[in-house]
Amino acid sequence: MQKVQETAEKIRNMEIRGAGRIAKAAAEAIRDYAAGLDVASMEEFSARIREVSNFLISTRPTAVSLPNAVKLSSKYSSANVEEARQEIIENANLFIERADKALEKIGKIGSRRIQDGDVIMTHCNSHAALSIITTAFENGKDISIISTESRPRCQGLLTIRHLNNFGIPTTLIVDSAVRYYMKDVDKVIVGADAIAANGALVNKIGTSQLALAAHEARKSFMVAAETFKFSPSTIVGNPIEIEERAVDEIVDLAVISELSHVQVRNPAFDFTPAEYIDMIVTDIGIIPPAMAYTVIKEHLGWELGEI
């Protein structure tokens, strides 16, 4: 349980960040917990697995990759403890393997939509989006990147370091300069924390600003997302909760405490409507936002009774 708690804390405080990395960490935690679980009965085994699953899922409410990873990894059908334990270990290992392969597939598929000479704008620090960009560059395409700062956690600094290591020409801009520089851009590529059944995107706060500016400027807006980032619960009407993070990520608490008429809001994510998204690049191919429901039903395998 100690490792599960450590993983949960790293997810909560964003030491482990990014929907894909969160999903893999959760799958590993469930696998290792099940492998070492010492119980006397199947009832106790089921209760403990359920408890740990709920605990992990509660750490970050918005990134749907987290509950998807936990549910896919912790599924079992056996009524025997040892067989159920083995099912969970195998399911978790399969999820982790598929997650690693998904990034490579997204990179190959998405890079085919990148043209020589493209200027690409990206936001936050998405491994899926970066896979497309770096694959295109390694295939010999002459591209350059405009990366947002992505405040308040400044994940853009991780992105520019990653791109610099590949030797890709990159410009860092403040978030509020997105519309100013959109005229210089050919394509926008962002990642996803969640995709709803109607094709709407939930991603790092400020993503909808990029989408709106791209739509106005007639620029292509691409989303890079593994299939486990699609949200099954939205099929039955459950909204995706937007996480609000601590005030001290934005402003010194000593300063704000002196301002009795001021409140500070710090939403971590926002919604981008499906009509502003040109395509979603997934590990099963490029799809329009309208196909999100099909991905959930056919590739995540949820039945309505499980949601």
Side-chain angles (χ1 to χ4, degrees), residues 145-150 156-157 160 170-174:
I145 311 302
I146 297 175
S147 174
T148 61
E149 200 177 12
S150 308
L157 300 180
I160 63 171
T170 304
T171 301
L172 179 70
I173 63 170
V174 296

Side-chain angles (χ1 to χ4, degrees), residues 10 27 62 67 99 103 108 134 137 145 154 165 188 280 283 288 297:
K10 288 178 180 178
T62 301
L103 282 177
K108 287 181 178 179
T134 56
F137 183 78
I145 311 302
C154 294
N165 289 340
V188 178
I280 303 174
D283 43 300
K297 290 292 288 181

Side-chain angles (χ1 to χ4, degrees), residues 6-160:
E6 289 173 357
T7 299
E9 183 57 29
K10 288 178 180 178
I11 292 171
R12 187 179 290 110
N13 66 25
M14 294 182 66
E15 186 176 338
I16 299 174
R17 63 176 79 184
R21 282 154 281 184
I22 288 172
K24 285 176 59 179
E28 290 169 357
I30 284 283
R31 177 196 65 196
D32 295 345
Y33 180 78
L37 187 55
D38 183 16
V39 294
S41 67
M42 191 63 204
E43 290 74 17
E44 186 181 359
F45 180 86
S46 297
R48 298 278 289 276
I49 292 295
R50 187 164 52 249
E51 177 188 1
V52 166
S53 297
N54 292 336
F55 176 67
L56 283 168
I57 289 170
S58 70
T59 56
R60 294 293 300 274
T62 301
V64 75
S65 62
L66 178 55
N68 281 349
V70 170
K71 290 175 182 177
L72 287 168
S73 298
S74 62
K75 289 178 78 171
Y76 58 89
S77 57
S78 176
N80 174 277
V81 170
E82 289 308 317
E83 291 177 1
R85 187 199 313 276
Q86 196 57 40
E87 281 188 71
I88 291 174
I89 292 170
E90 290 174 0
N91 284 337
N93 285 335
L94 182 61
F95 178 88
I96 294 165
E97 181 184 352
R98 286 178 174 173
D100 288 333
K101 290 181 178 178
L103 282 177
E104 183 181 352
K105 290 178 181 177
I106 288 170
K108 287 181 178 179
I109 294 167
S111 67
R112 295 175 185 139
R113 302 306 293 260
I114 307 302
Q115 305 300 314
D116 201 44
D118 273 352
V119 177
I120 300 165
M121 182 176 286
T122 191
H123 186 55
C124 200
N125 180 238
S126 163
H127 274 192
L130 288 171
S131 181
I132 293 174
I133 292 167
T134 56
T135 302
F137 183 78
E138 289 185 320
N139 287 341
K141 293 179 180 177
D142 179 19
I143 59 175
S144 60
I145 311 302
I146 297 175
S147 174
T148 61
E149 200 177 12
S150 308
R151 292 184 69 85
R153 302 288 298 210
C154 294
Q155 290 100 323
L157 300 180
L158 298 174
T159 294
I160 63 171

